[in-house]
Structures are given as structure tokens and as C-alpha cells.
Amino acid sequence: MSLGKVVVWVVEGTWPACVDAAGVHAPDAGEIVLLHVTGVDVPGAAHGAFAGLLGRWHRERDPGVRLAELATAAADQLLRDAAARLGRPCTTTARAGRVEREVLAVAEDADLLVVARDGDRRRLGPKSLGPPSRFVVDHAPCPVLLVWPETAPDLTTIPPPPQHPPPHHPPHHPPPPHPPQH
């Protein structure tokens, strides 16, 4: 089966695994979109602190503006590196906003979304996904290919099954008092 649009979520530290997975699992995709999303929380916090202390009139000294510029340059370079690694024609898209919402918006009309595990990668389980990735996996409007950025942990890292709870006993209620006898 040939796929139409495949979105590859490119994130610092895990992007090579996603790009490689797209090449392996969607070699005949009609369109591959390499997507990077810059969260606005850090530049926004820096701008807010600066504006609160020194006012809004010093744009050239605003650290929020400088952080946003640096983030844009880093995203552009990351997307260029990812496109070079993919080695085939693709579209690169850089967005800013709430990361998980932006990823879902781009994946709305996709046939496949490629996402890397970005949480605790020392063991198998749900904690191997960070909060934005968990949200994306849970709400994706298309199939998701979830990849390990390195070799997956051994099955022995799965926690043991929970202990069985004791059998349920209904609560003991003392019998109602007898009505007084006359």
C-alpha cells in the first residue's frame, strides 16, 4: 500500500530515528513533510519578564525576541539536516505554538505520523513518552508510527504485574437494633 502524506515530527535529539523510519516504512509516500515545532513558552516567559521590568520600548534588548530568533534559526538548521538525511524530495515546515496542537494540525490530513519516544527510554512502558508526545499519540487523527530513537530496552524492563487485590468482601454492618419491647 502506498501512502499519500507522511508527517515526520522532527525533534532535537530524536529526529534521526524518525527520518530513518519514514525512509524504511514509507519509501513510496507521495509527500513527506518534515515538521519542527518550537514551543512559545520560553521566549514568551523571557519577554514577559523583560517587559515587566523594563517596559516594552526596548525591542532590541528583549531576550524573548532574541530567543525566538535563535529558535527559528535552530529549527531551520534541524530541518535542513533532516531533509539531507532523508535524501529525497520533501517539504519542511517550521511552526511555533503549543507543540502538541501544532503537530496535530499538520497531521490532520496525513496518512501516517512518525513520532519518536522522548521520555524515559531506559525501560518499556508509557513513561517512554513525554507529555506532548503522549497527547499527540492519544489524539492523532491518523495512524502513528512510534519509534525508539535507539535500540529498544529489553522486555525485562517491563514492571511486574500488579499483585492481585484480596477478594472483595462486602462491608460488615451490624444488625439493626431490636425495637424496644413494651
Side-chain angles (χ1 to χ4, degrees):
M1 176 179 94
S2 180
L3 297 170
K5 178 179 174 183
V6 174
V7 175
V8 180
W9 185 12
V10 175
V11 177
E12 294 82 354
T14 61
W15 67 268
C18 289
V19 170
D20 293 349
V24 169
H25 297 285
D28 300 325
E31 175 186 14
I32 294 186
V33 176
L34 302 176
L35 169 67
H36 181 274
V37 181
T38 301
V40 294
D41 47 348
V42 174
H47 169 73
F50 177 79
L53 291 173
L54 300 175
R56 300 177 192 272
W57 305 111
H58 302 283
R59 178 174 168 75
E60 69 281 355
R61 295 185 350 203
D62 185 339
V65 171
R66 182 67 182 135
L67 281 172
E69 291 168 352
L70 289 171
T72 298
D76 291 344
Q77 183 60 53
L78 192 62
L79 288 169
R80 282 193 299 276
D81 292 346
R85 185 175 183 111
L86 183 63
R88 63 164 276 187
C90 62
T91 303
T92 59
T93 302
R95 296 179 74 145
R98 288 199 53 153
V99 174
E100 63 277 10
R101 301 289 176 161
E102 295 296 326
V103 171
L104 293 176
V106 173
E108 183 176 19
D109 60 344
D111 295 311
L112 180 67
L113 172 62
V114 182
V115 177
R117 293 181 182 272
D118 61 349
D120 180 1
R121 298 191 309 256
R122 296 171 296 161
R123 61 185 55 90
L124 299 171
K127 292 184 180 178
S128 66
L129 291 173
S133 297
R134 168 57 58 198
F135 188 91
V136 166
V137 167
D138 287 346
H139 297 89
C142 62
V144 175
L145 175 58
L146 184 58
V147 300
W148 287 93
E150 59 275 323
T151 302
D154 190 82
L155 285 176
T156 60
T157 64
I158 296 174
Q163 297 294 324
H164 292 291
H168 178 70
H169 296 289
H172 175 67
H173 296 291
H178 293 295
Q181 304 229 343
H182 297 303

